[in-house]
Amino acid sequence: MATPAATAQKWPFNVSVVPRVPEGLESLRRIAFNLWFSWNFDALELFKELDPTLWEECGHSPVKMLRLIKQSRLEAVAKDKAYRGRVEKVHDKLEAYLNRKSTWFTKNLPKETKDQPLVAYFSAEFGFHESLPVYSGGLGILAGDHCKSASDLGLPFVAVGLLYRFGYFAQKINRDGWQEANIVDNVFHDLPASEALAADGKTTVVVELDMPGRKVKAKVWEVRIGLTRLFLLDTDLPSNAPDDRNITYQLYGGDHDMRVRQEILLGIGGVKALDAMGIKPSVFHMNEGHAAFLGLERIRRLISEEKLSFIEALQPVAASSVFTTHTPVPAGNDAFDPKLMEKYFAAYVRDCHISFDELLKLGRPWAHPEEEPFSMTILALRLSRQANGVSAIHGRVSREMWQTVWPGVPKKEIPIRHVTNGIHTFTWMAPEIRDLLEKEEGAFTEDDLADAAQWKKRVEFKDKDYWTVHQKLKARLLEFVRRNVKNQRIRNGVKPEEILSTQTMLDPKALTIGFARRFATYKRAALLFRDLDKLAAIVNDPERPVQFLFAGKAHPADEGGKKLIQLIVKVSELPVFKNKIVFVENYDFNVARHLYHGCDVWLNNPTRPLEASGTSGEKVITSGCLNFSVRDGWWDEAFDGTNGWAIGEDALRLEPEVQDEFDAFSIYEILQHEVVPMYYERSADGVPKRWIERVRRSLMTIGPVYNTQRMVAEYAENFYKKAAEKGRMFAENKFAKSRNLAVWKDKLRTAWSEVKANAVTWAGGNGTTVSVGDQVSVSVQVHLGSLKNEEVAVEAYVKAVDPNGPSLATRLEPTGETSQGWAKYAGRVEMKDSGNFQFNVRVRPSNSSLTQAHELRLITWAVSP
């Protein structure tokens, strides 16, 4: 009998078996699904303790850990009374945080506590922790820190973004020093996200958007960050066409067509998602222009539901919207070809009761050529009445950059303010440093972070205690870098001796300087290398060695950024710099955390004024690292001469090549004559006391100011409160004031050509000299035509000849004297500062319902006599 032939083994089914969390450990799941764990290191330690190796393999994801951990291991720790006790202690801490009766919000905004105005914060990216990789850099990290502090402060606050299947990329540096971008597939059930539910609490939320010739569906996921709820939209659904499934595949991926669809999904889809869940925000905050289409969707809904016209609906929408711009150069702002806009909005505008040309005007300067692209930033500025930059310098740059949106308005009165960025302190502070700050003064809580007195008393630690902690953090950083470089060299197949040399690379006793950020060319990552001989002398000083750690990603399409990375890698391979200048690949939350905790000095040398704010320098100070930076962004406000070092001179504005040469020379000089000597100046017990005193000054002066606790409180008090009040005002009595203001604005625009002013008198006449404190009499003849006195503001306007000097607008009042349609206005102007000034009188619209003084962009200046 013939032997039967063996059949090939087949495995037609796959089964995933997840462990069952034993009794006594159920709280681990609740902790794992709230990103509160990202700034509570005792929570993270619970998961790391389960299996340290698996913890690293899981990318520090608690959710993934609970899916992949062996059942036997869970059962073993469930029998460990001490471990169960730690779990419950952390869980109780989380519950106490979530159920606080008293928060900053309840104590500082009692009226708003009663009204409960809900803020909805929209951003294209969010960075909370490496276990949720839907961020690329500073914008996303800032958004994440904003959400965390909104929770700390107890604000009624939700956030909206996109859930990217592949997120940003993982960086690999090949043997040639060239950046390679590796796609990372986000497995959604490994993320701290769950399916969002509709208002009924049962139905999974799926929203539908109109795209040319088709419908696109998006599923909504929910992420918890303390008290903050984040909703992320996802189009990777079987019901969508393959190209539409790709909308949420990659952050900042694809061409302009893809970007438009992503921004439609974020803005329009985000508003629809909130509505589907029964969430009705009072205030909408756009973090950059990516979400600006949300304003159009809000207007469309009011037109449909309240029977308002477009202009009537625009009033409450703009009044209750806040816009933050982060980009200090026009090229960095999204702008789309008019034909691309027509492809996606030709049908949409019909629902808004406007023409397509009227839509285009919303995204363009007042004066523009026919082919002018549609700017998302201009759209956001037109659809919000409160806007801000992210530092004092950036606010000034933004007012100048977007003056075309308010033609004729003095630059200083362009309604773009600033709120300087901060960081979520407890996310970025090393737990060992927090322990040190709590050693004498007890628990350091979220309520203490913006309190200068708290920081002042907590930095009175013993020098030796701080230095011991810092050396421990530095040793941990260097060991992390060695592993990172070793893995890179093994992957690239270098010689065995090169791999072995990683064990001794970097000296724990050497001054260690870090540089890590996005590799955009304006960041000038290679500035340090302009004079390699000078740099070699600094690095290789036998008595006072210095070493440098670099990290950062270039956008995959940015060839210039990738060349900068390659240059740094090549320089680091030169014998004179070998193992003393190191590029650490795949800059992410984890790499950043190690660098921030362990470096001695943080180098930052962007081209001024192109750094809108910058926040990496704010993060490093929380662990005792000192800033060495160009005076741009936040550092221009924070530097006081005792809390770090400033590169170059902030007053100089040279040609780029000359500026680079000047700033590089400044870096070498300050390193050689200030930074390095101070670091190596030691007391008898081996402690650098003057250095540690500068660390104290840094913590004491920067810590209480440049954090998101202060930042979000500033938004709440100065932006959200006003936006909520204005929104309520316009909605009252079936939007009566919205309708009335729209009619009044139309009347003003029609009648404004009749407004004239002349016959200005200034006591003493042209060229006169007065003293500070003098009150100067001013009068003017004004012709209003069909308008009434109460519909305008007549103002004496004094401005300094120096562009950086002050300006002053003083309201003039009608005297009652009239003749042939001309009315006399008069008043007194107090001279509050010395210098040379120019003077004139202007007339502008005035109405108590206006949010901005120059909302109509109408100004009439008096003509010379």
Side-chain angles (χ1 to χ4, degrees):
M1 177 178 269
T3 303
T7 59
Q9 293 184 350
K10 296 181 179 180
W11 309 99
F13 304 107
N14 292 310
V15 178
S16 180
V17 181
V18 298
R20 189 183 300 276
V21 177
E23 185 178 348
L25 298 182
E26 298 92 339
S27 299
L28 281 174
R29 288 192 61 81
R30 180 158 169 78
I31 297 168
F33 276 91
N34 194 315
L35 280 155
W36 170 88
F37 67 67
S38 66
W39 69 94
N40 285 274
F41 290 91
D42 50 353
L44 291 169
E45 284 298 316
L46 293 175
F47 298 96
K48 181 179 179 180
E49 189 177 343
L50 289 174
D51 186 330
T53 302
L54 183 61
W55 177 245
E56 296 301 324
E57 293 173 357
C58 288
H60 302 166
S61 169
V63 173
K64 191 172 183 178
M65 277 288 290
L66 292 182
R67 189 174 68 85
L68 296 182
I69 191 75
K70 292 295 184 183
Q71 183 71 42
S72 58
R73 176 58 182 157
L74 282 178
E75 290 174 356
V77 295
K79 297 174 183 177
D80 183 339
K81 186 177 179 180
Y83 181 82
R84 290 201 316 272
R86 290 195 295 278
V87 170
E88 288 313 305
K89 183 178 179 180
V90 170
H91 181 257
D92 290 347
K93 181 179 170 184
L94 170 60
E95 290 300 309
Y97 174 87
L98 297 176
N99 293 290
R100 289 168 292 159
K101 300 297 182 186
S102 175
T103 64
W104 177 93
F105 180 68
T106 62
K107 288 183 282 190
N108 291 274
L109 297 174
K111 183 180 182 299
E112 283 65 32
T113 300
K114 180 181 177 183
D115 296 334
Q116 284 291 301
L118 178 67
V119 177
Y121 180 88
F122 284 62
S123 182
E125 53 173 301
F126 289 89
F128 302 103
H129 186 255
E130 56 265 38
S131 61
L132 185 62
V134 290
Y135 64 93
S136 73
L139 180 70
I141 304 298
L142 185 279
D145 283 5
H146 193 120
C147 292
K148 291 174 181 179
S149 283
S151 173
D152 287 344
L153 297 174
L155 260 61
F157 191 93
V158 297
V160 178
L162 304 181
L163 183 56
Y164 301 100
R165 172 68 184 273
F166 298 111
Y168 210 43
F169 67 93
Q171 180 194 58
K172 304 288 187 184
I173 303 299
N174 66 22
R175 291 190 69 166
D176 295 324
W178 192 250
Q179 172 185 285
E180 296 176 349
N182 287 10
I183 297 299
V184 177
D185 191 347
N186 282 332
V187 179
F188 289 175
H189 58 240
D190 286 340
L191 304 179
S194 55
E195 295 177 342
L197 299 178
D200 62 11
K202 300 176 182 177
T203 311
T204 300
V205 180
V206 177
V207 297
E208 192 172 79
L209 293 99
D210 290 314
M211 295 282 183
R214 65 198 189 278
K215 303 281 188 183
V216 174
K217 292 183 178 180
K219 185 177 180 178
V220 183
W221 298 78
E222 180 175 351
V223 177
R224 297 283 180 131
I225 310 98
L227 293 169
T228 298
R229 301 168 72 192
L230 166 66
F231 301 103
L232 300 173
L233 283 76
D234 161 32
T235 62
D236 188 17
L237 306 177
S239 57
N240 288 332
D243 197 41
D244 291 326
R245 296 183 71 163
N246 291 350
I247 293 174
T248 53
Y249 264 29
Q250 197 158 12
L251 172 61
Y252 303 143
D255 56 13
H256 276 194
D257 190 279
M258 178 59 74
R259 289 292 285 270
V260 168
R261 282 184 284 157
Q262 286 185 333
E263 295 180 15
I264 288 172
L265 177 63
L266 175 61
I268 297 176
V271 172
K272 289 188 172 188
L274 293 176
D275 184 68
M277 292 179 286
I279 296 172
K280 301 189 181 301
S282 308
V283 177
F284 286 76
H285 186 170
M286 294 169 275
N287 188 43
E288 263 301 358
H290 308 119
F293 290 139
L294 73 82
L296 293 177
E297 177 62 13
R298 293 180 66 205
I299 290 171
R300 187 195 67 78
R301 285 171 174 268
L302 285 177
I303 291 170
S304 173
E305 296 167 5
E306 302 295 336
K307 310 308 177 189
L308 302 179
S309 69
F310 185 89
I311 299 301
E312 290 168 347
L314 172 61
Q315 309 312 314
V317 167
S320 58
S321 294
V322 177
F323 169 56
T324 299
T325 174
H326 294 260
T327 310
V329 290
N333 296 267
D334 277 348
F336 301 120
D337 186 277
K339 291 182 179 178
L340 184 61
M341 287 296 296
E342 186 173 20
K343 174 182 175 181
Y344 285 99
F345 284 92
Y348 190 87
V349 293
R350 290 196 290 270
D351 290 339
C352 294
H353 296 183
I354 58 172
S355 68
F356 180 68
D357 284 343
E358 287 174 308
L359 171 65
L360 288 182
K361 287 179 182 178
L362 291 171
R364 289 170 159 178
W366 285 98
H368 58 266
E370 186 176 342
E371 67 277 5
E372 179 78 20
F374 184 91
S375 165
M376 294 297 288
T377 298
I378 293 179
L379 177 66
L381 289 169
R382 292 199 193 282
L383 298 186
S384 58
R385 296 287 181 246
Q386 297 192 83
N388 69 283
V390 290
S391 69
I393 288 177
H394 183 233
R396 294 196 294 271
V397 169
S398 297
R399 286 189 288 276
E400 184 171 346
M401 189 162 67
W402 301 112
Q403 197 165 11
T404 55
V405 182
W406 287 271
V409 176
K411 184 168 64 177
K412 291 190 176 180
E413 295 185 14
I414 300 297
I416 302 176
R417 295 181 281 169
H418 81 273
V419 177
T420 302
N421 280 346
I423 55 100
H424 187 258
T425 304
F426 290 148
T427 292
W428 301 106
M429 180 182 282
E432 294 86 351
I433 294 293
R434 185 171 178 178
D435 289 343
L436 183 65
L437 298 182
E438 293 180 335
K439 186 174 181 179
E440 299 295 333
E441 298 295 335
F444 196 19
T445 72
E446 58 270 1
D447 295 333
D448 301 326
L449 291 176
D451 185 343
Q454 282 285 340
W455 286 86
K456 185 175 181 179
K457 67 183 181 180
R458 289 177 185 278
V459 300
E460 295 303 318
F461 41 69
K462 294 178 180 178
D463 291 353
K464 189 71 173 180
D465 288 349
Y466 166 75
W467 195 240
T468 299
V469 169
H470 178 67
Q471 293 306 107
K472 175 184 175 183
L473 294 172
K474 188 173 181 178
R476 190 162 68 199
L477 162 65
L478 300 187
E479 185 55 38
F480 173 82
V481 172
R482 291 173 189 134
R483 290 196 305 270
N484 181 293
V485 176
K486 181 179 180 180
N487 291 337
Q488 177 189 334
R489 291 180 180 179
I490 291 172
R491 186 186 68 246
N492 288 334
V494 302
K495 295 178 181 178
E497 56 266 31
E498 290 290 304
I499 296 171
L500 291 173
S501 72
T502 60
Q503 297 174 9
T504 55
M505 73 186 312
L506 301 170
D507 180 359
K509 295 180 181 179
L511 172 64
T512 302
I513 300 177
F515 180 104
R517 53 198 32 89
R518 180 168 55 90
F519 268 70
T521 50
Y522 80 87
K523 305 271 191 182
R524 299 193 297 180
L527 187 65
L528 183 68
F529 306 123
R530 287 188 71 87
D531 189 328
L532 293 181
D533 290 336
K534 282 187 178 180
L535 181 60
I538 293 169
V539 167
N540 294 299
D541 185 319
E543 301 298 322
R544 305 184 304 189
V546 179
Q547 56 200 13
F548 291 86
L549 301 177
F550 284 83
K553 295 177 179 178
H555 188 280
D558 183 2
E559 295 300 308
K562 288 189 280 190
K563 287 178 180 177
L564 280 175
I565 292 173
Q566 186 178 46
L567 171 63
I568 293 171
V569 173
K570 292 298 183 183
V571 169
S572 74
E573 292 173 347
L574 296 174
V576 71
F577 298 122
K578 190 74 172 179
N579 292 336
K580 297 171 185 176
I581 295 177
V582 178
F583 188 90
V584 187
E585 70 178 7
N586 201 31
Y587 183 48
D588 65 358
F589 247 98
N590 192 37
V591 172
R593 188 183 297 117
H594 281 86
L595 289 169
Y596 298 162
H597 290 179
C599 284
D600 298 305
V601 172
W602 198 250
L603 178 63
N604 185 36
N605 43 243
T607 301
R608 181 184 165 101
L610 301 183
E611 183 87 289
S613 174
T615 55
S616 64
E618 297 172 339
K619 298 180 180 93
V620 300
I621 71 100
T622 64
S623 296
C625 183
L626 292 171
N627 275 280
F628 181 30
S629 176
V630 167
R631 290 192 63 170
D632 197 7
W634 78 278
W635 186 236
D636 186 64
E637 302 166 42
F639 176 66
D640 69 1
T642 70
N643 55 4
W645 295 272
I647 296 168
E649 296 182 22
D650 61 309
L652 286 176
R653 296 292 184 276
L654 306 172
E655 290 298 313
E657 183 68 20
V658 178
Q659 189 71 57
D660 288 354
E661 192 69 32
F662 183 89
D663 289 345
F665 178 80
S666 176
I667 290 173
Y668 301 138
E669 286 295 297
I670 294 172
L671 279 176
Q672 286 181 307
H673 301 296
E674 297 183 42
V675 179
V676 174
M678 185 182 292
Y679 182 80
Y680 282 101
E681 179 188 301
R682 304 296 167 93
S683 62
D685 58 353
V687 174
K689 291 188 175 295
R690 281 207 306 140
W691 184 274
I692 295 173
E693 186 54 36
R694 190 161 289 231
V695 169
R696 279 199 186 88
R697 286 288 305 164
S698 175
L699 287 165
M700 189 167 59
T701 59
I702 299 171
V705 181
Y706 297 94
N707 60 65
T708 43
Q709 240 72 353
R710 181 273 312 161
M711 183 192 85
V712 176
E714 202 171 323
Y715 277 113
E717 293 179 315
N718 300 336
F719 289 78
Y720 298 159
K721 180 182 176 182
K722 184 177 181 180
E725 289 171 349
K726 285 287 186 177
R728 283 195 298 269
M729 179 196 79
F730 279 118
E732 289 172 354
N733 300 319
K734 297 185 177 180
F735 295 89
K737 287 192 176 181
S738 299
R739 300 175 199 271
N740 293 339
L741 187 61
V743 170
W744 179 82
K745 285 184 174 181
D746 187 57
K747 169 189 171 183
L748 266 285
R749 291 190 180 100
T750 301
W752 197 254
S753 60
E754 305 173 33
V755 177
K756 299 177 179 63
N758 64 24
V760 177
T761 65
W762 168 274
N766 187 29
T768 190
T769 299
V770 297
S771 298
V772 172
D774 285 355
Q775 295 203 352
V776 182
S777 297
V778 178
S779 68
V780 63
Q781 293 291 329
V782 176
H783 182 275
L784 295 180
S786 59
L787 299 180
K788 300 175 183 177
N789 288 332
E790 59 267 25
E791 293 180 300
V792 300
V794 179
E795 296 171 328
Y797 190 80
V798 181
K799 75 166 187 173
V801 174
D802 179 358
N804 297 317
S807 60
L808 174 69
T810 302
R811 190 83 171 244
L812 305 181
E813 301 296 337
T815 65
E817 299 177 42
T818 60
S819 176
Q820 298 181 335
W822 289 83
K824 183 179 181 180
Y825 284 72
R828 299 175 72 82
V829 176
E830 182 180 356
M831 306 308 295
K832 297 184 176 181
D833 206 347
S834 59
N836 295 316
F837 292 85
Q838 296 173 322
F839 163 77
N840 202 352
V841 173
R842 69 186 184 187
V843 186
R844 62 171 178 82
S846 179
N847 188 304
S848 61
S849 293
L850 293 175
T851 306
Q852 297 174 350
H854 298 292
E855 214 164 288
L856 280 84
R857 284 82 166 171
L858 297 174
I859 301 180
T860 293
W861 292 92
V863 296
S864 302

